[in-house]
Amino acid sequence: MKQQNKLVVILVSAVALLILPLILQSAGNAWVRIADVALLYVLLALGLNIVVGYAGLLDLGYVAFFAVGAYMFGLMASPHLTETFPWFAAMFPNGLHTPLWLVIPAGAALAGVLGVLLGAPTLKLRGDYLAIVTLGFGEIIRVFLNNLDHPVNITNGPKGLGQIDSIKFFGLDLGKRLSIGSFEISSVTLYYYLFLALVVVSVIICHRLELSRIGRAWMAIREDEIAAKAMGINTRNMKLLAFGMGATFGGVSGSMFAAFQGFVSPESFSLMESVMIVAMVVLGGIGHLPGVILGAVLLAALPEVLRYVAGPLQAMTDGRLDSAILRQLLIALAMIVVMLLRPRGLWPSPEHGKSLKAK
Amino acid sequence: MEILLQQIINGLVLGSMYALVALGYTMVYGIINLINFAHGEVLMVGALTSWSIIGLMRDAMPGAPGWVILMIAMVIACVVAATLNFVIEKVAYRPLRNSPKLAPLITAIGMSILLQTLAMIIWKPNYKPYPTLLPSAPFNIAGAVITPTQIMILGVTAISLAVLMYLVNYTKLGRAMRATAENPRVAALMGVKPDMVISATFIIGAVLATIAGMMYASNYGTVQHTMGFLPGLKAFTAAVFGGIGNLAGAVVGGILLGLIESIGSGYIGTITGGVLGSNYSDIFAFIVLIIMLTLRPSGLLGERVADRA
């Protein structure tokens, strides 16, 4: 009976998720865009959840992997390289338009390798020390993205990379609207389905990981590293694996983000972004998949929706309280209030180890 | 050679500011094991308050000498920042003292964003010029230049450090602070009130941050609502560098970090043949931090094990 209920719930939510953009689409593409962004954040939060939630390694530089994926896609699928380097233009006269099947694995692999590289020197650190080192790592990546336009122009500096190709596969261009008979599906809706598919795959991967030996090993490390080591778990490899897997997710969502926006610049990868992703994981319920998804959707979508009520508020306070400020204010208040009322998150996992309970 | 001397002077000035802020981080971390992410924002609030007060006083008493105005502004700004930090600790950190480790960290980050946003609403987001109230004619030392403001910064830092060291080492409050940092429960059994000690720590931290913020503003000549973020981050780095929880370590770490950053950004162009420029100066702090934590996780003067956190 219980099994049946679960199946019904899954079926209903699947149908709802599939229809959602079609309904939103009729209210305007801006709403579908919000859903798209929310899904991207879910993807990011799921990745970070592997590192923070399962393995207990607090990573405040997570956005660096997102940036690596995004720039990877930006460089491989935009006219920037051909325009900057003559030898490159000679090699690829039609410009470099790398197919999706190459970009995604490449972005994922590069981010994954970087994740392991970051993990390697920090293996001895835990908690706050790790947080501050990863934070520094994120900042280093951002400074480089900002300044690598000189003397060799690789990232185009603060101006960012533009004219990035949209995603194309099997003859389907997600950048253009799709007409089936008289029915039209807009480009953002197509992206919605792609992101949804990625999220579903990620949830399945995360769920399987959680139940696997690897997941158990991560949680053992999170609970008590010394005991885990004593039980024969190779803590070094397991931690590196967690960093690598989390970073891979970040890299993939980064390349999706670049294709979706058609533009990347260092602006999008500030520390604030990393903080937001950590906040999503922790607010929702650390280590608990439904909680993490809830946190990501809430923090990504709600402030966007609030933009629409900000107009009157802005008029009332003669322009001081515009939508961006209001958004920040609400996020900050949400972080403080939710933590004060529910320190384990909005939707915490039912069983929790001692490291996440009171000290 | 003149460049080196100049960068050393600049580095000392920068480092002494980092040291003052780092003390706030290290004291809080030493007692309640929390990275007070909002500490940089306390610095910002202090600096912006002092900016407002200087503006008001210049209108009210046009004839007053610069250093008097600075002193009064400093006192008022310190009181405002101290009250703020006291309230932050009560509202956002105290209720979470026995919660999961990540919860207070998240409220601290939230508090930092909240303060920045509120400051943006109150003071508007534009950069504001910070008035120069001391004579601006620089002194020449063997080809390098030092301004009276920089001399004042070094002097004020030295005085603040001396006062703090006296407070921590020779007063009853200082003994209570050291006891609480060692073991709050045992300290409480000995008649120390940990809550009061923690409040006092936050107040002292805010005062030091405000002084640093005003010096930072005088040195760079501008104030803005995001000004606290990067110095805050680097000061925390300095605290970790020196060995977190260790007051002398915070000072040494701060000054060393200032020197490394200043000399590094002065020479990076020459060393790399112009490939990397001084716009990379912000990464020195983090590179130093990563190297330090890899080689000696407890910091230069620290005894605590990194594993404890």
Side-chain angles (χ1 to χ4, degrees):
Chain A
M1 186 65 208
K2 212 178 157 215
Q3 201 67 25
Q4 237 174 2
N5 274 344
K6 212 172 175 181
L7 203 68
V8 171
V9 170
I10 290 177
L11 274 177
V12 169
S13 42
V15 171
L17 281 171
L18 285 175
I19 303 178
L20 179 74
L22 300 174
I23 300 169
L24 289 176
Q25 197 181 318
S26 58
N29 278 339
W31 290 94
V32 192
R33 251 192 114 74
I34 294 173
D36 288 5
V37 173
L39 283 177
L40 269 182
Y41 274 115
V42 170
L43 212 52
L44 279 171
L46 286 173
L48 186 64
N49 185 48
I50 294 180
V51 187
V52 185
Y54 295 163
L57 305 161
L58 180 53
D59 184 352
L60 281 184
Y62 188 65
V63 82
F65 307 119
F66 186 48
V68 165
Y71 268 86
M72 180 84 175
F73 190 86
L75 286 175
M76 287 173 78
S78 82
H80 175 74
L81 285 180
T82 25
E83 274 168 14
T84 323
F85 305 111
W87 59 267
F88 203 87
M91 244 162 77
F92 301 94
N94 299 322
L96 186 62
H97 300 282
T98 325
L100 189 69
W101 309 116
L102 203 70
V103 167
I104 291 192
L110 183 66
V113 168
L114 266 181
V116 173
L117 281 183
L118 162 70
T122 58
L123 284 175
K124 277 188 286 182
L125 309 172
R126 269 184 80 81
D128 302 336
Y129 281 83
L130 182 66
I132 204 87
V133 168
T134 50
L135 190 158
F137 177 74
E139 283 294 289
I140 290 175
I141 294 269
R142 204 177 55 80
V143 169
F144 271 102
L145 290 180
N146 234 330
N147 292 309
L148 270 185
D149 54 345
H150 164 89
V152 184
N153 188 351
I154 298 170
T155 64
N156 211 16
K159 290 191 289 296
L161 303 172
Q163 290 174 275
I164 298 173
D165 293 349
S166 55
I167 288 180
K168 298 184 189 73
F169 54 94
F170 300 134
L172 180 69
D173 185 350
L174 294 193
K176 295 198 184 81
R177 67 178 55 196
L178 178 70
S179 306
I180 304 172
S182 61
F183 188 70
E184 287 199 331
I185 303 176
S186 65
S187 155
V188 273
T189 310
L190 293 175
Y191 273 107
Y192 173 91
Y193 288 121
L194 173 68
F195 294 167
L196 187 65
L198 281 172
V199 166
V200 169
V201 171
S202 309
V203 168
I204 294 171
I205 295 177
C206 288
H207 186 66
R208 301 304 303 173
L209 271 178
E210 199 178 328
L211 301 175
S212 71
R213 290 170 62 103
I214 295 173
R216 292 288 161 202
W218 281 336
M219 280 171 232
I221 293 173
R222 179 186 76 196
E223 300 308 322
D224 191 333
E225 196 176 333
I226 295 167
K229 208 169 197 169
M231 295 312 288
I233 293 172
N234 186 335
T235 53
R236 186 195 62 196
N237 288 358
M238 281 300 153
K239 281 175 159 188
L240 285 181
L241 187 65
F243 269 119
M245 297 242 14
T248 309
F249 276 72
V252 171
S253 23
S255 50
M256 292 298 116
F257 172 78
F260 176 60
Q261 297 278 335
F263 172 76
V264 287
S265 80
E267 282 277 291
S268 317
F269 311 108
S270 62
L271 176 70
M272 182 63 201
E273 254 353 85
S274 279
V275 166
M276 277 284 283
I277 305 164
V278 174
M280 285 168 183
V281 174
V282 179
L283 278 187
I286 187 161
H288 189 221
L289 287 177
V292 170
I293 295 172
L294 173 77
V297 171
L298 272 185
L299 273 190
L302 266 190
E304 299 295 330
V305 177
L306 282 166
R307 272 174 207 271
Y308 294 90
V309 296
L313 253 172
Q314 191 172 359
M316 254 160 56
T317 53
D318 50 81
R320 279 195 178 204
L321 207 64
D322 67 13
S323 59
I325 299 182
L326 186 70
R327 179 171 182 253
Q328 265 196 36
L329 206 62
L330 283 167
I331 291 173
L333 281 175
M335 287 165 82
I336 298 169
V337 172
V338 171
M339 279 300 110
L340 288 176
L341 299 179
R342 296 185 69 99
R344 285 174 56 205
L346 287 171
W347 193 350
S349 139
E351 46 152 341
H352 250 315
K354 69 175 194 305
S355 80
L356 291 166
K357 275 205 206 101
K359 223 181 350 181
Chain B
M1 204 58 215
E2 279 110 54
I3 303 176
L4 182 63
L5 191 63
Q6 185 68 57
Q7 294 303 340
I8 288 176
I9 293 176
N10 293 346
L12 281 177
V13 171
L14 193 64
S16 61
M17 294 187 291
Y18 288 157
L20 285 187
V21 189
L23 282 168
Y25 278 108
T26 219
M27 284 193 300
V28 167
Y29 197 94
I31 294 185
I32 56 173
N33 273 334
L34 165 76
I35 303 180
N36 181 8
F37 259 99
H39 196 62
E41 271 58 50
V42 172
L43 174 153
M44 175 270 297
V45 169
L48 279 169
T49 311
S50 75
W51 175 82
S52 294
I53 290 172
I54 291 173
L56 285 177
M57 291 206 6
R58 278 175 136 191
D59 290 340
M61 329 183 262
W67 65 271
V68 176
I69 294 186
L70 262 185
M71 276 298 149
I72 296 175
M74 185 180 276
V75 171
I76 298 177
C78 283
V79 171
V80 170
T83 318
L84 179 72
N85 219 9
F86 175 76
V87 173
I88 291 176
E89 193 270 329
K90 267 227 149 113
V91 173
Y93 305 152
R94 184 164 303 178
L96 290 173
R97 214 166 281 160
N98 296 313
S99 299
K101 185 91 190 118
L102 278 175
L105 192 71
I106 296 289
T107 55
I109 295 171
M111 203 38 106
S112 149
I113 306 171
L114 184 68
L115 288 180
Q116 265 192 40
T117 318
L118 290 179
M120 182 156 68
I121 296 172
I122 295 171
W123 280 287
K124 301 251 173 89
N126 55 328
Y127 280 91
K128 289 159 274 286
Y130 200 81
T132 334
L133 292 167
L134 297 176
S136 53
F139 297 97
N140 234 319
I141 307 174
V145 179
I146 185 165
T147 63
T149 307
Q150 289 177 318
I151 296 176
M152 177 204 73
I153 291 174
L154 294 175
V156 171
T157 305
I159 296 170
S160 311
L161 290 182
V163 171
L164 182 74
M165 290 302 162
Y166 174 77
L167 196 76
V168 170
N169 289 323
Y170 299 103
T171 62
K172 219 172 155 188
L173 175 66
R175 196 182 306 154
M177 280 171 72
R178 282 180 284 142
T180 315
E182 206 61 51
N183 189 333
R185 215 175 288 164
V186 177
L189 288 176
M190 299 293 139
V192 174
K193 293 192 179 68
D195 279 350
M196 260 183 61
V197 171
I198 291 167
S199 291
T201 310
F202 273 83
I203 289 171
I204 296 170
V207 169
L208 293 174
T210 306
I211 295 173
M214 285 181 67
M215 299 189 318
Y216 202 80
S218 320
N219 200 32
Y220 290 101
T222 53
V223 278
Q224 204 231 359
H225 67 277
T226 54
M227 66 178 280
F229 176 71
L230 214 50
L233 213 55
K234 288 184 187 159
F236 183 77
T237 304
V240 174
F241 186 38
I244 196 140
N246 182 322
L247 296 187
V251 177
V252 172
I255 289 174
L256 274 181
L257 193 70
L259 283 173
I260 291 171
E261 194 177 315
S262 175
I263 294 174
S265 59
Y267 282 95
I268 183 170
T270 350
I271 293 171
T272 58
V275 175
L276 302 178
S278 57
N279 39 9
Y280 284 89
S281 66
D282 285 344
I283 66 175
F284 287 110
F286 302 119
I287 290 177
V288 165
L289 177 77
I290 292 173
I291 296 173
M292 188 70 207
L293 283 181
T294 321
L295 299 180
R296 194 175 149 80
S298 51
L300 279 180
L301 305 181
E303 296 130 35
R304 283 160 190 269
V305 215
D307 212 86
R308 238 198 73 168

